[in-house]
Every structure is written in C-alpha cells, then in structure tokens.
Amino acid sequence: LPQFFCSLIYCLIHVSQDSPLVLQSDRNVTVNARNHMGQLTGQLTVGADAVEAQCKRFEVRASEGGKVLFSADEDEIVIGADRLKVTGTEGAVFGHSVETPHIRAEPSQDLKLESPTRSLVMEAPRGVQVNAAAGDLKATCRKELHLQSTEGEIFLNADTIRLGNLPVGSFSSSSSSSSSSSPSSSAPRQTIYELCVCPNGKLYLSPAGAGSTCQSSSNICLWS
C-alpha cells in the first residue's frame, strides 16, 4: 500500500467499482473542509473513543428521497424519522420541560405518566385533554389530588358517579350533633342517604329523613 508522510492534495479520489475506500491511521482520521481563504468550516474526526463532527449544522438524510432524519445545530436538534424508539430500560430522561402536541402508548400498551418523588405538571394555554378511548383512566397520588378551575367549572359527566369510602354519620332528632358510628344493627337498614358538606368542604353521608339531616356540628365535621 502507498504511504504518504506529508500532505496529499487531490480534487478527487475514487476507487474501482465494487471496491471500498479505506482511510486508515494508527491515530485519529480527520477530514477538514475549508473555505477559499483557508479557514476551517467543517471537521469530522474518527477516533478510538468517539466520532466528532464540528460544523454549523449536522444532518443525516435518508438514502431515498433525501429526507432529513436527524439534524443538529446551535439552536435545536430535529429528529425527522417517522418514529423515535427508545429501547433502554430506563426510557428517555429530560432535564427540563417536554413540549409535544400528542402523547400516546403503543397498541395494546398502557400509557403511564408518573412522578415518583415530585409533582406531575401538564400545562397548555388552551387546555389539556386526557382520553382513554378503549380503557380506564386512573389518577392516583400518595397525598392529595386537587382539581381546580380558576375561571371555569369542573364538569363530571358519566352514567354513574360514585364517591367511595365516605364516612357515614347517624342522625338523631333529639340531639344537636351526630356521631360517626353506623346505625345499630337492630334499626331498619338505611338504603337512602343525604350527601352533606362540612364547612371545611369535607363530604359525609347522613341517613335521609323527611327533612335535611345534615348538621354542621357533626362529629365528622368537628374531627376532620
């Protein structure tokens, strides 16, 4: 093989058909591009530990059609492939915010948005829509779940709306307060309850009567 110990300048280097072009070095292989004034405008370095490219804009295009699959410059990184697939077990980690018009899971897979140690925030100037077209939608948290609307309303629309695990109080017309204990087993089974709201906003159930049986002095309100 020919060896060159100094510079080799050519305007075109090509090999015979069906033969590869190999540039080999015991150290780095560097390809430089310069302008008419000799200033360096682009550089590609293939080293033992990394491949580095220094240029204003780096692009990877498809072999057919020339579609930009990946591009990077000082302002942004663009991935133009139809699908970005991250196969690492830890997924993708973003140090700051993520901006996207659509988040969805693969077919037959659940979509899970989770913040193990901090809060989860989703913001949009014209609203956030969460839709599960063929399954359940579940929101859980370790402490408190807040639903707040600063200017509009919170609208619940379903065939059945249930509030589970509400405390049940007992009402006595001879007492001004109710206790949180359930009615005695000897009393007729209560099947209809009144939904009561304490001054602090806590909800509880009270056995329904001819009139309202809700009491602001209920033990449930006092001890909540």
Side-chain angles (χ1 to χ4, degrees):
L1 295 176
Q3 295 183 354
F4 302 91
F5 297 96
C6 299
S7 299
L8 175 64
I9 302 176
Y10 273 94
C11 61
L12 178 62
I13 300 177
H14 66 87
V15 296
S16 59
Q17 188 176 1
D18 298 331
S19 296
L21 175 62
V22 179
L23 302 178
Q24 183 173 321
S25 172
D26 293 339
R27 298 186 179 181
N28 296 339
V29 175
T30 302
V31 178
N32 294 331
R34 300 180 182 274
N35 58 16
H36 64 282
M37 300 179 62
Q39 297 173 336
L40 185 66
T41 58
Q43 185 179 81
L44 178 64
T45 302
V46 180
D49 299 327
V51 176
E52 298 180 358
Q54 298 183 20
C55 52
K56 292 183 178 179
R57 182 178 177 85
F58 178 79
E59 291 185 355
V60 177
R61 293 180 175 269
S63 58
E64 298 181 0
K67 178 183 178 181
V68 177
L69 302 179
F70 178 88
S71 65
D73 55 29
E74 293 183 356
D75 297 327
E76 64 180 2
I77 295 177
V78 178
I79 298 176
D82 295 335
R83 172 173 293 189
L84 172 63
K85 192 169 185 178
V86 180
T87 58
T89 56
E90 298 297 327
V93 178
F94 300 91
H96 299 283
S97 62
V98 177
E99 181 178 346
T100 176
H102 191 193
I103 299 177
R104 69 177 181 182
E106 290 186 335
S108 303
Q109 297 292 330
D110 294 334
L111 175 64
K112 187 176 183 180
L113 302 177
E114 180 182 8
S115 178
T117 58
R118 300 294 296 272
S119 59
L120 176 62
V121 179
M122 294 186 295
E123 296 180 343
R126 300 184 61 181
V128 176
Q129 180 179 357
V130 181
N131 181 28
D136 298 334
L137 177 63
K138 185 178 181 180
T140 60
C141 62
R142 185 169 180 264
K143 291 186 178 181
E144 297 181 355
L145 175 64
H146 295 271
L147 299 177
Q148 181 179 0
S149 177
T150 56
E151 297 182 1
E153 63 180 1
I154 298 177
F155 180 61
L156 302 178
N157 183 12
D159 294 336
T160 302
I161 298 178
R162 296 182 180 180
L163 301 176
N165 298 326
L166 290 181
V168 179
S170 60
F171 172 76
S172 175
S173 58
S174 60
S175 174
S176 60
S177 64
S178 64
S179 65
S180 59
S181 60
S182 301
S184 62
S185 58
S186 61
R189 182 179 180 182
Q190 182 71 33
T191 58
I192 300 178
Y193 293 88
E194 183 178 0
L195 182 61
C196 304
V197 183
C198 298
N200 62 359
K202 184 175 182 179
L203 303 177
Y204 75 96
L205 298 177
S206 179
S212 176
T213 61
C214 296
Q215 299 174 355
S216 61
S217 58
S218 167
N219 287 344
I220 296 177
C221 295
L222 295 177
W223 292 99
S224 61

